Amino acid sequence: MTDTYLNLVNTGLTKKLAKKLGLPRPVPLVRWKPGQPLVAGPVLVVGSEHSEKDADAVATTLLEWDLDVRRTVEPGQRYAGVVVVLTGIQHPDELGGPVLSVGGMLREQLAPAGRVVTLSRPAVADDAPAVAAARQGVDGILRSLAKELRGGSTGNGIVLSDGVGVGAPSVLGALRFFLSTRSAFVDGQLLTVDSPAGSVPQDWERPLVGRVAVVTGAARGIGAAIAETLARDGATVVVVDVPAAGESLAQVANRVRGTALQLDITAPDAGERIVEHAVKRHGRIDVVVHNAGILRDKLLANMKRDRWDSVIAVNIAAQLRINEQLLTSGEFTHEPRIVSLASTSGIAGNRGQTNYGASKAGVIGMVRATAPLLTAFGGTANAVAPGFIETDMTARIPRVPREVARRASSLQQGGKPVDVAETVAFLVSPAAGGIVGRTLRVCGQNLVGQ
Ligand code: NAD
């Protein structure tokens, strides 16, 4: 689906007109392509009082990644990224120094598609009140700052739980993800790293070599993009979809040089058949991405039982059953990864979507409770919550609400399937082993609220 408005406000006369009228002017997002540098320009690293050691360590890591690292704001210099290290803050008084030093340069000196990343610690109940206030303050700064950035730039935060250092694999993985254009449509999000688990891949560009991944609902849309992205990152991919989508499923399987499994995921033995196919054809199963999902929207007052039941059956009950079968198969034991597709409708709710909202909020609860069942194997379960993504699913939304949904985010446009796929690829990578039971939004900082 093309976004005509985005094209118009970026070309010729209509661009000038939109500027004159003060209309929203989303810019086309820059997306990562293999062979591109991790960050296309200098990266500024600043640290707050009590965070200098961590800031030094982050700067050293970035240098090891061959980035051009600067420690002070130099007049006239453009920066592709800014990392603000706030891990040691003790009091809200300490926030102003580093934040204002960055604030002064963002408008003129942050390059288009620039990246701002904060590193901080979570505010927890046994913190001293001033420490908790300072730490929680970072959330407010990051979410507000992300709303102010323009030119396709984004702001995201990494929250390091106790015992997690700035060199932990998942902190490094998240830092690379947020700094690069892989995270083009992730904006205004704070991702918690729960533990130092996970491992740094031998090759950051092909972290999934040797892994076998299954993607459901992969005949089109987001699922097809996930299959392509996991294959690009080195995985052998099994694509799953209903028999009616068999032809396009076969095409996706060919494109990714994987295999196709025609299967309705609501079948009682779906999990067993997935394991059997992956192990028989590829020798193992390491990653399952629960992407298949359906919409049957109606206001609750008009909701019939069949619409309710079918959404629950496909979007959540099937995943629960498949996960149980994965866990009891004895095959899903090599640092396994589960990623489920949630939705911002499962976080903020959406009119006409009580059934869908129940299923997608259910996914968020499910991954939180499934993750601990996988820790013994070095595994994780997480969710990705897309906002408005340009697919066949959203093309069916009537014109006016579709246009409103597109613009109602900090990036003022819908995302692309590849944006969700890049986020899934990061969460199933070896480096993400310390991110456990979390939900990461891919929504351009959608303004739908909580
Ligand atoms: P889509 O409708 O384009 O594709 C979904 C795929 O799932 C289809 O190929 C379909 O055949 C398959 N599928 C449906 N029921 C199945 C079943 N029982 N067994 C096997 N396969 C089945 O959807 P999409 O827009 O690509 O969305 C993918 C996922 O992302 C869904 O879970 C959706 O809820 C979620 N999501 C999408 C958006 C968006 O804006 N597009 C936003 C939030 C969440």
Side-chain angles (χ1 to χ4, degrees):
M1 190 81 201
T2 41
D3 184 342
T4 315
Y5 179 84
L6 183 137
N7 293 339
L8 284 175
V9 297
N10 284 290
T11 38
L13 269 180
T14 39
K15 179 177 176 178
K16 283 192 190 139
L17 189 65
K19 195 170 178 183
K20 221 170 179 178
L21 295 174
L23 294 173
R25 283 182 301 135
V27 301
L29 300 181
V30 179
R31 293 180 168 91
W32 193 78
K33 300 228 166 49
Q36 281 180 354
L38 174 64
V39 187
V43 179
L44 174 69
V45 178
V46 297
S48 69
E49 221 175 315
H50 305 116
S51 306
E52 293 90 350
K53 249 177 125 176
D54 280 348
D56 288 346
V58 168
T60 306
T61 300
L62 300 187
L63 283 169
E64 285 165 8
W65 292 342
D66 286 335
L67 298 183
D68 176 355
V69 180
R70 314 290 173 94
R71 298 303 305 275
T72 52
V73 181
E74 298 151 34
Q77 177 63 55
R78 280 267 185 136
Y79 299 89
V82 179
V83 181
V84 189
V85 183
L86 301 164
T87 43
I89 41 166
Q90 307 284 316
H91 192 281
D93 283 348
E94 294 166 21
L95 290 167
V99 171
L100 294 175
S101 76
V102 167
M105 54 73 70
L106 287 178
R107 183 174 296 173
E108 302 295 334
Q109 291 176 261
L110 186 69
R115 296 286 181 262
V116 179
V117 183
T118 58
L119 266 67
S120 60
R121 300 232 172 242
V124 290
D126 53 4
D127 284 339
V131 173
R135 291 176 167 183
Q136 192 76 38
V138 178
D139 288 37
I141 294 166
L142 189 274
R143 292 183 206 277
S144 304
L145 174 147
K147 291 183 176 175
E148 294 179 10
L149 294 174
R150 289 290 172 263
S153 295
T154 63
N156 290 292
I158 306 171
V159 182
L160 289 68
S161 298
D162 268 354
V164 177
V166 290
S170 294
V171 176
L172 301 182
L175 189 56
R176 288 181 73 97
F177 177 66
F178 286 141
L179 279 177
S180 82
T181 49
R182 284 185 170 92
S183 58
F185 198 60
V186 183
D187 195 12
Q189 303 307 304
L190 290 130
L191 177 65
T192 300
V193 173
D194 300 279
S195 85
S199 54
V200 170
Q202 282 198 332
D203 179 354
W204 279 107
E205 300 225 339
R206 307 254 309 154
L208 300 178
V209 168
R211 307 280 279 168
V212 174
V214 177
V215 184
T216 68
R220 66 178 197 194
I222 294 173
I226 294 170
E228 282 161 15
T229 306
L230 300 189
R232 180 203 68 190
D233 284 0
T236 300
V237 181
V238 176
V239 290
V240 177
D241 213 299
V242 288
E247 205 171 301
S248 38
L249 187 69
Q251 284 167 10
V252 177
N254 282 342
R255 271 209 305 278
V256 303
R257 293 163 196 267
T259 55
L261 172 62
Q262 292 186 12
L263 172 71
D264 184 328
I265 57 158
T266 61
D269 61 347
E272 284 152 15
R273 288 178 55 195
I274 285 171
V275 173
E276 190 193 321
H277 176 102
V279 172
K280 219 185 212 165
R281 300 292 292 274
H282 308 292
R284 53 193 289 156
I285 178 166
D286 304 299
V287 172
V288 171
V289 183
H290 292 297
N291 165 79
I294 58 169
L295 288 174
R296 297 286 182 272
D297 293 2
K298 272 282 172 216
L299 292 179
L300 183 57
N302 306 326
M303 181 77 69
K304 296 277 186 312
R305 187 83 213 193
D306 61 331
R307 294 180 98 80
W308 181 274
D309 285 348
S310 55
V311 166
I312 298 293
V314 176
N315 292 6
I316 181 70
Q319 298 191 18
L320 286 163
R321 197 178 314 112
I322 291 171
N323 288 349
E324 258 179 56
Q325 293 172 9
L326 288 172
L327 282 160
T328 52
S329 70
E331 300 283 351
F332 201 56
T333 51
H334 324 282
E335 300 180 6
R337 298 277 188 272
I338 292 174
V339 173
S340 281
L341 270 285
S343 164
T344 47
S345 299
I347 297 171
N350 204 7
R351 192 178 145 82
Q353 292 196 327
T354 46
N355 52 353
Y356 187 75
S359 71
K360 295 300 186 179
V363 161
I364 294 169
M366 178 192 72
V367 295
R368 206 183 294 129
T370 303
L373 308 176
L374 293 166
T375 18
F377 311 114
T380 65
N382 290 290
V384 167
F388 184 94
I389 307 293
E390 305 282 356
T391 66
D392 292 347
M393 193 184 254
T394 47
R396 285 198 294 270
I397 301 174
R399 180 178 278 272
V400 171
R402 186 172 71 221
E403 197 51 26
V404 170
R406 272 188 179 136
R407 294 316 143 215
S409 76
S410 295
L411 294 170
Q412 301 176 324
Q413 60 195 287
K416 299 223 164 127
V418 69
D419 299 323
V420 181
E422 293 283 11
T423 310
V424 171
F426 160 56
L427 288 173
V428 303
S429 71
I435 299 163
V436 183
R438 300 283 166 184
T439 297
L440 181 54
R441 286 170 61 158
V442 185
C443 65
Q445 199 175 24
N446 198 308
L447 307 178
V448 292
Q450 232 299 309

